[in-house]
Amino acid sequence: MPTHLIIGGGAGLVSAVLFASAVKSAALAGLILYICPLPLCLAGLACGKQIVTLASFVGTVLAVIALGASPGLVFAVTIAVPAAILVHLALQSRTVPDPANAGKQTVEWYPPGRLVAAAAVIAGVIAMFLLLLLGPDMVRYQATIDEMMPVIRDALGVDEEVWTAEATENLRVLLTRALPAVIAIVWITIALFNMWLAGTIAKGSGHALRPWPNFHQLEIPNAMVIAFAVALAMSFIPGVIGLIASGFAGAFLIAYLLQGLAVIHFYTLGMPFRAALLVVLYLAVLLLGWVAILVAILGLGEPLFGLRGRAATTQSQNNTNHTNDQS
């Protein structure tokens, strides 16, 4: 059997087994779901587009056989197909004139910012799919949320003094409104983490099919500013439309959070104790919501103010002046 068929089939098998384990074991579901796309992403980034397509197909078929049609569909929509799309985009390239030498050609790979933007759109679509799966209208959606409340209560294990009628209602309202955004945020985080981890592993093993980009060069397409503004405005519309829009808004927010982090990575290049500063920043983003919002606002401001471009120009001028002073 050809090696590429073994790799593709094996990656699909591993991903399907991980997904089935998460479905069957509630205790390990969270951790396992985080790495379900990893075998697919790794197979694609190390072996090519055809391999990730084969792996996604095999994984979906095995998930349907092992778990049934509905879980298999969820696997296909949330894991297999998105992983194949992101890998296909990541491996897109074109030949362009070399800026350093007009007589030569160089390979230009799919920009990482557009890859993040694509992941954000996919996250919004997946949140919409799962929302409609829970309930295609507000009545059935709310009924599904109400059915989830006892499960959440048992999982939290809180007593009657904490789980008051008022606390129950507040959680119910919050969950109803925030669930699509939470789904989108969690999905895009998992997807991009697995793409990064797969790329890192492929690069470390010497099998990466494309050079891995520098994070500080991440640039989200400017058109997403408009898309984010529209999604955010529509999220205030009552009903299912507003909930769908909130899913897209949550995903776009994460994209701009990443761009904000990229700006900070750029400005801290060459700084002493840079690693420590970035560790503190990432911990603050994870633990303090307001820090994440501020970093996302910084990312939103990047296309408007050209923060990295201005810094690069200033640095170039300083280097030129320093050279002139020396001469």
Side-chain angles (χ1 to χ4, degrees), residues 38 41-42 45 194-204 208 210 212:
L38 181 60
C41 296
L42 181 57
L45 292 176
N194 279 277
M195 285 291 290
W196 168 81
L197 183 58
T200 302
I201 295 173
K203 179 182 177 181
R210 63 162 289 173
W212 207 240

Side-chain angles (χ1 to χ4, degrees), residues 105-132:
Q105 299 287 313
T106 185
V107 177
E108 185 179 83
W109 293 93
Y110 196 79
R114 292 192 178 187
L115 188 65
V116 171
V121 173
I122 295 172
V125 172
I126 287 174
M128 178 178 67
F129 166 76
L130 294 178
L131 169 64
L132 296 177

Side-chain angles (χ1 to χ4, degrees), residues 104 172 175 180 252:
K104 293 185 178 180
R172 176 178 173 272
L175 189 61
F252 294 160

Side-chain angles (χ1 to χ4, degrees), residues 114-254:
R114 292 192 178 187
L115 188 65
V116 171
V121 173
I122 295 172
V125 172
I126 287 174
M128 178 178 67
F129 166 76
L130 294 178
L131 169 64
L132 296 177
L133 197 64
L134 292 175
D137 54 60
M138 284 303 296
V139 174
R140 279 178 281 186
Y141 173 69
Q142 189 64 69
T144 304
I145 297 295
D146 292 339
E147 292 174 1
M148 294 168 60
M149 295 301 295
V151 178
I152 296 174
R153 178 178 177 175
D154 294 340
L156 294 176
V158 294
D159 55 33
E160 295 292 339
E161 295 182 0
V162 176
W163 198 267
T164 62
E166 181 180 0
T168 302
E169 181 61 21
N170 289 339
L171 180 59
R172 176 178 173 272
V173 172
L174 176 63
L175 189 61
T176 300
R177 192 64 196 169
L179 185 59
V182 171
I183 291 173
I185 289 171
V186 170
W187 186 90
I188 190 174
T189 303
I190 292 174
L192 293 179
F193 170 76
N194 279 277
M195 285 291 290
W196 168 81
L197 183 58
T200 302
I201 295 173
K203 179 182 177 181
S205 65
H207 293 93
L209 296 180
R210 63 162 289 173
W212 207 240
N214 293 319
F215 179 60
H216 66 265
Q217 296 176 338
L218 178 75
E219 291 187 19
I220 305 298
N222 292 339
M224 183 169 278
V225 174
I226 300 174
F228 179 50
V230 171
L232 190 61
M234 291 183 64
S235 67
F236 292 96
I237 298 175
V240 173
I241 298 298
L243 294 176
I244 291 173
S246 69
F248 282 95
F252 294 160
L253 180 67
I254 295 300

